[in-house]
Amino acid sequence: IMLLTDPEVESSLLISSDEGATYQKYRLSFYILSLLFHPEQEDWILAYSHDQKLYSSVEFGRKWQLVHERVAPNRFYWSKMGLDKEPGLIHLETSISEGQALYVTCKLQNCTDANKGKPFPGYIDPNSLVVQDEYVFVQVSTAGKPIYYVSAKRDVFTPMKLPKYTLPKDLHVISTDENRVVAAVQEWNQNETYNLYVSDMSGVYYTLALENVVSSMGPEGNVMVDLYEIAGIKGMFLANKKTDNQVKTYITYNRGRDWRLLQAPSRDLRGNSIHCVLPYCSLHLHLHVSANPYTSGNIASRDSAPGIIVASGSIGSELTTNNVSVFITSDAGNTWRQVRLLDNAQVLVPCATAICISRLSFDEGRQWNKYSFTNTPLFVDGVLGEPGEETLIMTIFGHVSHRSEWQLVKIDFRSIFNKRCTEADYQTWHLHNQGEPCLMGVKRIYRKLKPTSRCVMGKTYSVSMTSGPCDCTEADFECDYGYERRTDGKCAPAFWFNPSSMSRSCTTGMTFLNSTGYRKVVSNNCTAGVSVEYTARKQQCPVQAPKGLHLVTSEGTLMATLGTNVTFLVFLEEGDGARTSITLDFGDGHALTYSNVSSIEDGIKHIYKAVGIYRVTATGENSLGSETAMLYLHVTCQLEYIHLSAPFVAVRNKEVNLTAVLWPSQVGTVTYIWWIGNNTEPVITLEGSVACTFSREGITTVTVQVSAGNTILQDRKTIAVHEYFRSHLLTFSSNMDDHNPDVAEWRLDMSRVIRSALIQATGVREDQLLVTVLPGLPTAAEFFLLPDKQLTEGKPEKSSAHLDQLSEVLLSALNQNLVQFTLRPGVQVTVYAAHLSAAPLVDTSENHSGSAMLMLLSVVVVGLAVFVIYKFKSPAPSQSESFIRFLVPPPTNQNRSSGS
């Protein structure tokens, strides 16, 4: 016996080896969310923790070992004997990123990278791995469209073939027993219902079984489809179908080949006749199964009691929550009896008081007896029983009030069942569907207890069933893939299906099964009869040109990362796959050729060494023709940072250039989003530069966002817009470079220090001077002089003279080494005017020296080159940095009166 402590108190296991007489505590280093016991090895356990880690124990929880991290919840499975190579294998889904996961297999006690298996070549969608019986399912989404893959008997994965225009939005595997898959599919035009599809033995090809089955949301956000598989009888299901906004219950005895409504009871509890005529009136059942394994839910059936079904429901034209009763069938749904009425608060087991299970029936619900088990009313939370259901002792747990602790009540039935069953206590029962004894190709006869017998069958009892074969009829066959049942009951090809199409596994010189439009229902054991007429016929594979070639990446995306392996998958729908060669041209000057399709089932890997968009082409070719498929692959690398290059000061109504510098410079397809000033709509470009003008003076903010792949980075600058200004370059004493870390914050702080030093040395007003320190080494800066608005408003000639006067004051102080500041104790820095400063970057005078301007432009270009080379070795600038470096064309006759 294993008990888990309350995780809010401590994380421990209490283990008893003497049926609960004593317990030993084992402390855990993790908190257990769920446990998965091995189906055969009783001491082997998997434990899932709150931090997505999976642990294993081979000593019934006494010792634990970490198996894997980042495991998806409820996506880990034990291996299955006879299918997996070893019993200690674990199937699990691991999270890679927000939208990507991997399907891996691990050894129980040795889950290292060297021992991991990757049965599916590529990434899968998160929370899509399902390992059930001999089938494994995964999902891969390409451009928002899901593709579902299946592997049967641990073979290679193949895309599941639903009817062509199913276009599924969602898919859930309902059942995989008897070598067949039952899947619930929500199609493109459905919102609250699902369609049921059934597969062939491979789990690949699916046909429609029932439309518009009701679904609901489970307590944990999971989808619950209103389908119930009857225990004890293979091939029997109940489903609630929505028709004309009414929910009706249907039953099938042959795995969905045929469905019918339930015949309502002929009499009610009081013996009065019930007038209910099919198809206008029938019995409808609530099929929701309880998520709690200790409570019964709305319907119940058992392997040990074939043919007996207990369920709650209603009689009428549709399923309702009013006038709900409990109904029982003893003959597998052919006839039903109403046994008790329920109010809205009661569950399947009828209750007259708060002491649920106060009424018990021992004759299949024909008579009910009252029993009292507690002195005070007990609200039942669940029922505990030994595995195998052969025990005569039942444990009920519940609570007296909502604030009380659990109470346990043991009920011993040995005084009622006090004798062993003999042959006289049994009867034979013939399974049938409204009188038809041949179901799933056989006649089945069960040996079961008489309803009036009160005896103990014993632990060695097993359900006895004999069967005899039936001749095959049309009812034993369903429509094959690509075929639909017409109103006359015949199967005909769907409009989208070409019956002459062949699988790629059909090789010239071999044979294939040519469908007649029908396939025998899986697990149907009929013989002879019309079997030859409906069974697929063996024919020689014809020589056929390749057709239906598909090329995708294993991740299902059209994007790859530079320097990483890209796996391409090639599929061929029709043609001789064994004799069709495949050539894959990667679009970068490299290509590979394979002799046949089967040699590339695991995919073709390639590494791209340069960023770009590549046209990847796959060509399938044999002696009769060829087929080509292509895709355009975007190879990108991670964008690390961006820098917005913009002028620190701009002239009003004069065009300026804004440039986004990327690192690395080549990252693939990039989109630039520019937010300029107070504009509510951005400018979107594919180029890294834009030109703009500013019509108002003042401070304007410019933001650029760069989108590359899944990354979006941004940088922001503030630009001072003025009608006139002067600018001059500054240099510094050599000791400045020794203390320049070349980071944005340092440059901002230093700009304020230099500005203060210039103001102190010259007396220039604060509102007329701007300073910015430029990135890179050697350290350089630039100052901007702005005119006094009160003196020069509307007088361009005064603005020019005023700025010339201020410029001379600053240059004089700089040339006399009067501008100094203390960088740190003992470090005194002198500010100089840069060479060629007499030819300013922005000038309003009419006379210009051509040679001086040429020299200035040369210096600027060289400076820019030095900056770019150095910048790519430097840390990324922050978004708050203000940086200027721009080229100024010579003024024309039209702009000589203002700054350029």
Side-chain angles (χ1 to χ4, degrees), residues 630-819:
M630 69 177 62
L631 62 81
Y632 293 91
L633 184 71
H634 293 243
V635 177
T636 64
C637 65
Q638 182 69 33
L639 177 62
E640 296 183 14
Y641 65 80
I642 68 170
H643 173 79
L644 175 58
S645 174
F648 188 59
V649 180
V651 179
R652 186 172 70 88
N653 292 327
K654 295 298 179 181
E655 190 176 85
V656 297
N657 287 322
L658 308 175
T659 302
V661 181
L662 311 185
W663 176 253
S665 59
Q666 297 295 322
V667 294
T669 305
V670 177
T671 303
Y672 299 86
I673 305 161
W674 306 86
W675 301 88
I676 300 173
N678 295 323
N679 293 344
T680 57
E681 295 294 331
V683 176
I684 300 176
T685 68
L686 297 178
E687 299 294 333
S689 297
V690 295
C692 63
T693 58
F694 303 101
S695 59
R696 294 183 179 180
E697 290 189 284
I699 301 298
T700 299
T701 300
V702 176
T703 302
V704 61
Q705 293 179 321
V706 179
S707 175
N710 296 324
T711 302
I712 297 181
L713 298 180
Q714 78 173 26
D715 194 10
R716 178 181 290 117
K717 292 291 183 291
T718 56
I719 301 175
V721 180
H722 294 279
E723 189 78 31
Y724 310 99
F725 63 86
R726 295 281 192 276
S727 80
H728 295 271
L729 290 173
L730 301 174
T731 60
F732 304 91
S733 53
S734 59
N735 57 351
M736 180 76 153
D737 292 345
D738 297 335
H739 302 278
N740 183 355
D742 197 27
V743 295
E745 290 79 6
W746 184 88
R747 289 191 286 272
L748 286 174
D749 289 336
M750 198 51 53
S751 296
R752 288 191 291 269
V753 172
I754 298 168
R755 180 167 177 261
S756 298
L758 286 169
I759 292 172
Q760 185 176 0
T762 63
V764 175
R765 284 173 22 203
E766 289 187 7
D767 60 344
Q768 293 183 264
L769 182 64
L770 299 176
V771 176
T772 182
V773 177
L774 307 180
L777 291 174
T779 308
E782 191 157 10
F783 74 79
F784 300 83
L785 287 172
L786 306 177
D788 187 338
K789 291 291 185 183
Q790 295 179 353
L791 296 177
T792 64
E793 187 71 35
K795 301 174 182 178
E797 64 283 355
K798 283 193 174 183
S799 296
S800 178
H802 178 63
L803 289 175
D804 288 340
Q805 185 179 10
L806 288 178
S807 180
E808 290 178 4
V809 171
L810 265 73
L811 290 175
S812 175
L814 290 168
N815 291 332
Q816 297 179 56
N817 298 338
L818 299 179
V819 183

Side-chain angles (χ1 to χ4, degrees), residues 512-561:
F512 75 102
L513 294 176
N514 190 13
S515 176
T516 61
Y518 297 84
R519 68 186 185 194
K520 186 186 285 188
V521 175
V522 174
S523 301
N524 187 298
N525 295 314
C526 71
T527 58
V530 299
S531 181
V532 175
E533 179 182 348
Y534 285 92
T535 302
R537 298 175 179 88
K538 186 177 292 187
Q539 294 183 3
Q540 289 289 323
C541 290
V543 180
Q544 191 176 11
K547 185 178 180 181
L549 191 67
H550 297 277
L551 172 64
V552 296
T553 62
S554 59
E555 291 82 4
T557 65
L558 296 175
M559 185 176 294
T561 302

Side-chain angles (χ1 to χ4, degrees), residues 341-648:
L341 290 172
L342 295 180
D343 58 35
N344 291 335
Q346 294 173 329
V347 291
L348 175 64
V349 180
C351 310
T353 67
I355 312 174
C356 288
I357 317 200
S358 62
R359 294 176 182 269
L360 298 175
S361 174
F362 303 102
D363 57 1
E364 300 178 3
R366 291 173 174 83
Q367 292 183 349
W368 295 85
N369 301 312
K370 281 188 176 182
Y371 291 89
S372 296
F373 303 117
T374 59
N375 295 326
T376 57
L378 182 69
F379 295 90
V380 173
D381 293 311
V383 179
L384 294 169
E386 288 292 326
E389 307 168 4
E390 68 277 351
T391 181
L392 291 175
I393 298 178
M394 180 189 299
T395 302
I396 300 172
F397 62 95
H399 57 277
V400 176
S401 68
H402 292 292
R403 295 184 178 180
S404 66
E405 296 179 346
W406 272 354
Q407 305 293 321
L408 296 179
V409 178
K410 276 194 173 183
I411 302 175
D412 191 342
F413 291 100
R414 286 179 294 184
S415 62
I416 298 175
F417 301 95
N418 53 15
K419 72 180 185 73
R420 288 277 180 183
C421 295
T422 64
E423 197 61 36
D425 293 307
Y426 292 93
Q427 64 180 3
T428 58
W429 172 63
H430 296 255
L431 175 65
H432 66 94
N433 176 15
Q434 295 183 321
E436 173 55 57
C438 286
L439 300 176
M440 298 294 289
V442 294
K443 297 177 181 178
R444 282 176 277 185
I445 303 173
Y446 291 86
R447 177 175 175 265
K448 56 188 289 188
L449 274 178
K450 297 176 180 178
T452 56
S453 297
R454 293 194 183 184
C455 58
V456 180
M457 292 183 291
K459 293 185 177 182
T460 59
Y461 171 78
S462 60
V463 176
S464 175
M465 190 266 291
T466 59
S467 62
C470 296
D471 287 342
C472 291
T473 66
E474 190 268 344
D476 296 306
F477 293 84
E478 62 190 2
C479 292
D480 204 350
Y481 174 77
Y483 291 80
E484 298 173 336
R485 193 172 298 281
R486 300 185 308 202
T487 54
D488 61 359
K490 302 296 183 180
C491 295
F495 73 91
W496 50 265
F497 182 67
N498 180 11
S500 64
S501 63
M502 248 78 66
S503 166
R504 62 185 172 89
S505 60
C506 193
T507 304
T508 303
M510 306 293 287
T511 60
F512 75 102
L513 294 176
N514 190 13
S515 176
T516 61
Y518 297 84
R519 68 186 185 194
K520 186 186 285 188
V521 175
V522 174
S523 301
N524 187 298
N525 295 314
C526 71
T527 58
V530 299
S531 181
V532 175
E533 179 182 348
Y534 285 92
T535 302
R537 298 175 179 88
K538 186 177 292 187
Q539 294 183 3
Q540 289 289 323
C541 290
V543 180
Q544 191 176 11
K547 185 178 180 181
L549 191 67
H550 297 277
L551 172 64
V552 296
T553 62
S554 59
E555 291 82 4
T557 65
L558 296 175
M559 185 176 294
T561 302
L562 182 69
T564 61
N565 259 320
V566 184
T567 302
F568 295 97
L569 303 178
V570 181
F571 301 102
L572 181 63
E573 289 185 358
E574 301 174 26
D576 188 348
R579 301 190 182 188
T580 299
S581 65
I582 299 294
T583 299
L584 189 62
D585 186 337
F586 300 106
D588 61 348
H590 296 85
L592 293 173
T593 299
Y594 297 84
S595 60
N596 54 61
V597 177
S598 59
S599 61
I600 56 173
E601 287 183 338
D602 292 334
I604 304 171
K605 298 183 184 299
H606 186 66
I607 297 177
Y608 287 91
K609 297 181 179 179
V611 169
I613 303 176
Y614 296 89
R615 184 174 70 176
V616 186
T617 306
T619 303
E621 186 174 9
N622 62 22
S623 59
L624 291 181
S626 63
E627 174 91 348
T628 299
M630 69 177 62
L631 62 81
Y632 293 91
L633 184 71
H634 293 243
V635 177
T636 64
C637 65
Q638 182 69 33
L639 177 62
E640 296 183 14
Y641 65 80
I642 68 170
H643 173 79
L644 175 58
S645 174
F648 188 59

